[in-house]
Amino acid sequence: MMDEATQALHARITQGMPERLILAEMEDLRPYECDGLAVYRQLPRLVVLPETIEQVQHVLRSCCALGVPVVARGAGTGLSGGALPHADGVVLSLAKFNRVLAIDPLARTARVQPGVRNLAISQAAAAYGLYYAPDPSSQIACTIGGNVAENAGGVHCLKYGLTVHNIRALEVVTIDGERLRLGGEALDAAGYDLLALLTGSEGLLGVVVEVTVKLLPKPQLAQVVMASFDHVDVAGAAVARIIAAGITPGGLEMMDNGCIRAAEDYLHAGYPVEAAAILLCELDGTAEEVAEDLARVETLLREAGATALQVSRSEEERLRFWAGRKAAFPAVGRISPDYYCMDGTIPRRELPRVLNGIAALGEKYRLRVVNVFHAGDGNLHPLILFDGNAAGELERAEHLGAEILELCVAVGGAITGEHGVGFEKINQMCVQFAALELEQFHALKHAFDPQGLLNPGKAIPTLARCAEYGAMRVSRGELPFPELERF
Amino acid sequence: MEPTHESPDRDCSGELRERVLAAARARTPLAIRGGGSKAFYGREAVGEPLEMAVHRGIVAFEPTELYLTARAGTPLAEIEAALAAAGQMLGCESPAFGPAATLGGTVACGFSGPRRPYVGALRDFVLGMRLLNGAGELLHFGGQVMKNVAGYDVSRLQTGALGTLGVLLEISLKTLPRPAAERTLVQDVPLAALAIEQMNRWAGQPLPLSASAWDGGRLYLRLSGATAAVAAACDKLGGECLDAASAAAYWMSLREQTHAFFAGAAPLWRLSVAPSTPPLDLPGPMLIEWGGGQRWWRGGGEAARLHALAAAAGGHATLFRGGDRREVFQPLAPALAALHARIKASFDPHALFNPGRLYAGL
Ligand SMILES: Cc1cc2nc3c(=O)[nH]c(=O)nc-3n(C[C@H](O)[C@H](O)[C@H](O)COP(=O)(O)OP(=O)(O)OC[C@H]3O[C@@H](n4cnc5c(N)ncnc54)[C@H](O)[C@@H]3O)c2cc1C
């Protein structure tokens, strides 16, 4: 049974779109109550599934007029609670915007709707020998709209960049229903770089209704080296060495022993289960380039202390080496009832120190942490293993996660490299930024959305929230909170 | 690394902040000035000069971490020399337009050079910055790590904003290793249409392209990367191979606009269009760069026509040098213009910074 406010909202939205595209029943709302971070759940008032840009405009205008929060949603694979519904709000799903509109092989661009899955773009472009470079591990499911909202990365971002480096234009609808075209088909656009600003804005500034992406020629050849190490520190130092030598691998990933074992149990990819860590280093380009780089990387890895090296000799073998890495999350899902995936970034030189720090924090909270991450760009994904049914474990996992992120900030890094702040890391934003910067963010948000209706409570904390978090931290006496005096 | 100094490194952020606070109290507009090398660009700025060149010095450069942090007034040449000494470079190959060019001015203009279509724009390499907003608040966004999605991407928003959104104090850029080998090929391609098509077709193949230009019936292609890969690509593409010095001089002449095409007083237009756009319907010579994406044209008095032409080709036109400086950039759609005004106000509520340099009223 809808309450009065929901009824009014429903009535207003049905004026501009068919009722079949509006979900209001509990059992229909249930699938939308969380994203990939399922520990946070909330039912919205309504879920709407518009099919046209005009309907999106209508929904936003309606919500704007009634002062109702709107949470945009792609595939719901986000790992920071970004698409978590608002109790008083509408979830605006872009699922029906799932068409590739045009591919221009000569200009190497694709114009797609926001609900198109990341991998589907590369599949559509494959006929022309082209592909879309950013490849999040969730690429079979996540949408390009969600990728833009999070500035998603992937294994190959070290060489080919993040979402922001691989898009040309966006069509965006603002909270007052206005349609804006940002960027263009050219390599730059007049005025402020709003294309960059919207990328990674987590649905707080506007709803993306069309994306023009840049396509790249498929490299002629890719080969991967798998190097084993008997200490994570040594593997970490090897990463810095490769980058320092002026080599930019297509991907440079690291897995620690816990993760290697989980992946091997799951997939039998031939991973060395005794190794403390492995590095997967992919080199791509022309055949000549790959051969030259491969020889250098093998030497560097040996010099850095690798105990064993394996080089993929066929495309099949290359995919097998990657299979364990790509399936690392589900593999870890099999060895623990629950896991919590973190996303901090650090300067590469701090890898050994931070990995040791994470291990020590794991001991402090009596929880296991396994690591699998984008080592080449210092983007960590510690996976905290816990059992949500065991009393207190979720809270311990959350505290441990918070301390890991604060460790990343302390060594000059960031609390999120690609998953976004969302609902999850809102408190750590108070550690990453001072009050003045947060106020500037709010002012910028106000320029787009003066009522604060787009995805409220996500990404940028209020100063009051930071003060509260600070007070709480100090009372536990664990960490100083120098920002407190500012409030 | 020990850069040679003409004037000492100095952190003047405190004084600069005092200046902004005073300007905010008195509501005095400020014309932010680096080396003055790009004073020709944009609309005419009004305001009291705010000199940035004193606020200079490389603050951090870690070749193994691939980043460099420098104060805004640091000469671009000093940064390039420091990078070169470590076998690195700025991937976007930004033009300086004069020895006085500073990092801050370069970032504020958002200029990129010949490598742009293949390696990335200046904004792609901006990792973070410190700046003063119009309330004189010292703010820090982004950082020195390659991946950082915490908060809105203010650093990239500031890049190319022509100083209208803040006084840039310190900027961190991602650096790149210099390619092991580099070669430039020249081919006779008399027709622009064919040159454009070829540049686009080759960009769609896995070739180590790093620059391209069509100039006076000749197509110039630069290849960079592993030695063997560059050699193989040269064999595949064919054409006359320039010696290293001539090649470097050629690309430098495009980057710095010392090439003969740019000489003389006729207004210079930059048309940024979809790279595959066929030759534009404009009289007289045209110089094409960026795989077809950046086209230079000399001529005057036709702003509306050029804007329409560029818009139809998916892009925009800028009166880059000379001509009537009252109308320089492509007009924005009304809703977008209104949003620009609100964004400006969110950083600079008293309209202190470079008022009117980008658009009237911004
Ligand atoms: C197993 C697994 C592996 C993953 N691996 C990676 C990885 O390697 N790299 C990486 O970057 N991420 C990864 N992720 C995280 C996630 O897939 C990405 O963040 C992805 O970009 C989210 O896309 P989505 O369509 O699922 O968006 P959602 O989860 O639906 O939404 C994410 C955010 O975007 C907003 N949003 C969605 N669509 C729009 C739109 N059209 N307009 C405006 N705002 C919108 C939402 O409001 C929300 O804030 C992984 C997730 C899983 C579950």
Side-chain angles (χ1 to χ4, degrees):
Chain A
M1 205 34 232
M2 286 190 266
D3 63 26
E4 221 168 284
T6 310
Q7 271 171 11
L9 181 63
H10 191 276
R12 170 112 193 189
I13 293 176
T14 43
Q15 285 169 18
M17 64 191 272
E19 206 171 337
R20 68 181 164 86
L21 301 176
I22 308 168
L23 309 179
E25 299 296 331
M26 175 86 85
E27 67 269 24
D28 295 331
L29 298 179
R30 192 63 76 191
Y32 296 89
E33 70 178 349
C34 67
D35 65 4
L37 182 59
V39 291
Y40 304 117
R41 290 168 195 268
Q42 174 63 55
L43 287 176
R45 283 188 190 278
L46 300 174
V47 173
V48 297
L49 296 135
E51 292 175 323
T52 65
I53 295 179
E54 291 68 30
Q55 290 171 353
V56 172
Q57 290 176 290
H58 168 70
V59 170
L60 289 169
R61 280 196 198 108
S62 305
C63 291
C64 190
L66 298 175
V68 170
V70 185
V71 179
R73 182 182 175 100
T77 68
L79 290 174
S80 56
L84 180 73
H86 191 286
D88 298 322
V90 167
V91 166
L92 196 171
S93 165
L94 282 304
K96 295 197 184 273
F97 287 81
N98 60 359
R99 284 191 307 127
V100 174
L101 298 172
I103 292 186
D104 184 338
L106 189 60
R108 290 148 283 119
T109 54
R111 211 157 55 76
V112 304
Q113 292 187 321
V116 169
R117 290 172 304 110
N118 173 294
L119 187 62
I121 302 176
S122 289
Q123 285 166 343
Y128 307 101
L130 302 170
Y131 76 113
Y132 175 65
D135 57 342
S137 305
S138 51
Q139 70 181 151
I140 49 168
C142 66
T143 67
I144 187 70
N147 290 173
V148 170
E150 301 288 15
N151 192 14
V155 163
H156 290 92
C157 285
L158 178 58
K159 183 165 179 182
Y160 298 104
L162 305 163
T163 305
V164 70
H165 303 114
N166 287 280
I167 59 174
R168 283 277 163 75
L170 293 177
E171 184 98 27
V172 171
V173 180
T174 55
I175 186 67
D176 51 5
E178 195 78 60
R179 241 171 114 159
L180 302 175
R181 186 157 175 83
L182 311 178
E185 290 161 68
L187 298 181
D188 43 40
Y192 296 145
D193 197 339
L194 301 186
L195 183 66
L197 179 64
L198 261 285
T199 309
S201 64
E202 303 196 25
L204 270 76
L205 302 182
V207 175
V208 176
V209 292
E210 193 183 295
V211 187
T212 303
V213 304
K214 170 174 131 183
L215 301 173
L216 294 181
K218 272 199 232 161
Q220 242 174 38
L221 179 69
Q223 271 183 288
V224 57
V225 190
M226 178 159 70
S228 310
F229 293 87
D230 50 21
H231 209 289
V232 285
D233 287 17
V234 184
V239 170
R241 208 163 168 141
I242 291 173
I243 302 296
I247 296 169
T248 310
L252 183 51
E253 301 281 305
M254 183 162 156
M255 292 166 78
D256 71 4
N257 181 267
C259 211
I260 297 169
R261 282 178 186 272
E264 187 57 22
D265 283 350
Y266 182 38
L267 282 179
H268 312 292
Y271 281 9
V273 292
E274 298 305 322
I278 57 170
L279 282 182
L280 290 164
C281 178
E282 180 157 291
L283 299 159
D284 65 3
T286 63
E288 299 83 4
E289 224 170 344
V290 173
E292 204 170 305
D293 285 347
L294 205 57
R296 291 178 65 200
V297 164
E298 285 186 76
T299 311
L300 284 165
L301 287 169
R302 277 213 187 81
E303 283 170 6
T307 53
L309 291 184
Q310 274 179 273
V311 181
S312 69
R313 292 296 167 198
S314 65
E315 186 58 11
E316 190 210 334
E317 198 172 26
R318 183 182 78 88
L319 295 176
R320 188 159 57 77
F321 282 7
W322 277 119
R325 164 63 187 92
K326 292 243 172 185
F329 291 5
V332 168
R334 292 170 73 242
I335 62 168
S336 172
D338 297 287
Y339 70 86
Y340 184 26
C341 174
M342 311 309 297
D343 176 42
T345 62
I346 56 166
R348 277 172 292 250
R349 69 175 126 70
E350 300 287 354
L351 270 175
R353 188 168 132 203
V354 172
L355 289 174
N356 288 327
I358 290 173
L361 286 169
E363 274 166 39
K364 172 175 159 191
Y365 286 97
R366 289 170 288 118
L367 290 172
R368 239 185 110 197
V369 184
V370 303
N371 288 288
V372 47
F373 57 94
H374 312 303
D377 31 37
N379 187 184
L380 305 176
H381 287 323
L383 302 176
I384 302 170
L385 312 187
F386 70 100
D387 179 354
N389 289 326
E393 280 212 9
L394 171 61
E395 270 123 61
R396 283 200 339 259
E398 286 178 323
H399 288 310
L400 169 53
E403 282 211 48
I404 290 174
L405 296 184
E406 287 159 24
L407 174 62
C408 292
V409 176
V411 301
I415 58 169
T416 172
E418 57 182 21
H419 294 168
V421 173
F423 177 73
E424 175 207 17
K425 293 183 269 290
I426 194 101
N427 287 337
Q428 281 66 49
M429 282 292 280
C430 314
V431 180
Q432 181 96 66
F433 291 101
L436 291 178
E437 281 111 22
L438 295 175
E439 278 180 295
Q440 182 64 68
F441 285 147
H442 286 300
L444 191 50
K445 159 87 169 167
H446 195 263
F448 283 81
D449 176 16
Q451 293 186 75
L453 297 177
L454 285 171
N455 218 359
K458 314 284 177 62
I460 316 289
T462 60
L463 298 189
R465 176 158 192 145
C466 287
E468 207 173 286
Y469 182 61
M472 185 184 84
R473 305 299 306 262
V474 169
S475 70
R476 277 196 284 129
E478 288 172 4
L479 263 182
F481 195 80
E483 284 83 353
L484 194 64
E485 69 209 46
R486 293 173 214 242
F487 309 130
Chain B
M1 131 233 71
E2 260 302 300
T4 48
H5 294 173
E6 280 153 23
S7 42
D9 287 354
R10 210 150 76 83
D11 179 355
C12 303
S13 43
E15 289 112 288
L16 289 165
R17 178 161 180 263
E18 288 307 320
R19 283 288 309 277
V20 171
L21 286 172
R25 278 191 301 270
R27 302 285 194 268
T28 319
L30 296 171
I32 308 165
R33 193 175 170 283
S37 60
K38 295 165 204 42
F40 67 85
Y41 187 69
R43 301 174 78 251
E44 257 152 43
V46 292
E48 273 180 26
L50 183 71
E51 298 292 344
M52 298 299 298
V54 286
H55 180 62
R56 60 179 280 171
I58 295 173
V59 177
F61 172 36
E62 293 199 51
T64 58
E65 295 288 328
L66 300 181
Y67 80 81
L68 175 143
T69 302
R71 296 192 187 102
T74 312
L76 194 60
E78 181 180 323
I79 290 169
E80 291 189 323
L83 291 174
Q88 296 195 345
M89 62 178 187
L90 293 180
C92 49
E93 229 177 341
S94 292
F97 297 137
T102 62
L103 175 63
T106 304
V107 172
C109 289
F111 290 153
S112 307
R115 226 174 277 272
R116 158 66 182 102
Y118 309 101
V119 178
L122 175 54
R123 67 92 133 144
D124 293 330
F125 294 93
V126 172
L127 298 176
M129 56 176 66
R130 284 178 204 278
L131 58 98
L132 291 166
N133 66 10
E137 293 166 346
L138 206 159
L139 309 176
H140 185 196
F141 298 100
Q144 295 164 330
V145 287
M146 301 299 129
K147 286 169 86 174
N148 182 351
V149 294
Y152 302 123
D153 196 344
V154 172
S155 311
R156 290 202 170 91
L157 176 65
Q158 294 280 347
T159 306
L162 275 178
T164 59
L165 296 179
V167 178
L168 312 188
L169 291 177
E170 192 182 293
I171 297 139
S172 294
L173 294 174
K174 180 183 176 182
T175 62
L176 286 186
R178 273 178 185 276
E182 201 148 88
R183 276 217 248 161
T184 296
L185 299 173
V186 192
Q187 303 172 347
D188 282 320
V189 184
L191 292 180
L194 186 60
I196 292 166
E197 203 201 307
Q198 286 191 352
M199 286 192 270
N200 279 278
R201 251 191 303 111
W202 284 326
Q205 292 176 28
L207 292 165
L209 281 170
S210 72
S212 58
W214 182 77
D215 157 20
R218 314 236 293 161
L219 181 58
Y220 292 76
L221 299 167
R222 187 176 65 189
L223 299 145
S224 310
T227 313
V230 169
C234 285
D235 288 346
K236 178 167 178 183
L237 293 173
E240 177 201 343
C241 184
L242 291 187
D243 66 80
S246 318
Y250 179 73
W251 297 112
M252 192 55 94
S253 77
L254 289 187
R255 174 184 132 167
E256 297 299 333
Q257 300 189 344
T258 52
H259 185 289
F261 179 90
F262 298 100
L268 173 68
W269 282 89
R270 172 181 186 265
L271 293 110
S272 175
V273 295
S276 58
T277 307
L280 298 167
D281 179 21
L282 287 169
M286 169 108 25
L287 193 148
I288 303 179
E289 281 192 275
W290 291 12
Q294 175 165 269
R295 305 185 187 188
W296 301 100
W297 182 74
R298 309 298 301 263
E302 333 187 28
R305 169 144 185 260
L306 283 147
H307 289 146
L309 206 60
H316 61 109
T318 305
L319 180 54
F320 203 82
R321 285 181 196 263
D324 178 358
R325 303 312 295 171
R326 281 171 307 179
E327 193 175 6
V328 171
F329 297 104
Q330 183 101 7
L332 301 172
L336 203 51
L339 180 59
H340 272 64
R342 295 197 300 272
I343 292 171
K344 162 79 173 173
S346 79
F347 282 94
D348 181 17
H350 310 309
L352 301 178
F353 302 142
N354 286 353
R357 179 96 190 250
L358 184 59
Y359 287 103
L362 266 200

